Amino acid sequence: QVQLIESGGGLVQAGDSLRLSCAASGGTFSNYVMGWFRQAPGKERELVAAMDSRGITTYYADAVKGRFTISRDNAKNTAYLQMSTLKPEDTAVYSCLGGIFRWNTNLYKTPQAYRYWGQGTQVTVSS
């Protein structure tokens, strides 16, 4: 059974930084497109960042561009989301998703296209 387990969330103040980790087990992590999604109360789930299986190509939502960085270490079966200059509007449950599809299909933009989901980790930014 493939598992994705997020960690690193917490309660921080505006302007602080956090690094989220997503540890994968039970599958071939190096073949997965990885995406970070978030969902805030009253809002749709949105794609924050995504990366292809080789860590070459990335996507960022406009709201986080320049502040967040997605990365992966295939040798450690782990994906990361480095979040800097956090804002109250970043408050959400953050989930990492693993997909088995080609990057150029653009399926990384669609939550239901991903096969594997983590349980989510809460990020709360106060001000």
Side-chain angles (χ1 to χ4, degrees):
Q1 181 79 13
V2 172
Q3 283 193 292
L4 303 176
I5 302 177
E6 302 97 333
S7 62
L11 173 62
V12 298
Q13 302 245 306
D16 284 354
S17 297
L18 281 173
R19 188 179 73 161
L20 306 183
S21 298
C22 175
S25 63
T28 307
F29 176 78
S30 61
N31 287 342
Y32 302 161
V33 171
M34 296 301 298
W36 286 94
F37 285 75
R38 68 185 182 186
Q39 188 165 29
K43 294 186 176 181
E44 292 185 0
R45 179 173 285 108
E46 65 173 336
L47 175 63
V48 176
M51 175 171 278
D52 72 352
S53 61
R54 296 193 180 275
I56 297 171
T57 308
T58 59
Y59 165 88
Y60 294 97
D62 287 344
V64 307
K65 197 171 298 181
R67 298 188 298 118
F68 290 13
T69 302
I70 187 172
S71 62
R72 67 192 298 155
D73 187 339
N74 284 351
K76 296 181 178 179
N77 291 340
T78 303
Y80 305 94
L81 185 68
Q82 177 67 48
M83 305 183 294
S84 299
T85 319
L86 283 162
K87 304 174 180 180
E89 52 262 45
D90 295 319
T91 295
V93 174
Y94 286 72
S95 300
C96 69
L97 280 61
I100 305 175
F101 45 76
R102 295 181 183 273
W103 180 265
N104 61 9
T105 65
N106 289 327
L107 288 172
Y108 64 87
K109 299 179 179 180
T110 305
Q112 59 266 32
Y114 290 80
R115 189 179 298 269
Y116 308 114
W117 284 67
Q119 83 285 357
T121 186
Q122 176 71 45
V123 173
T124 302
V125 185
S126 65
S127 180

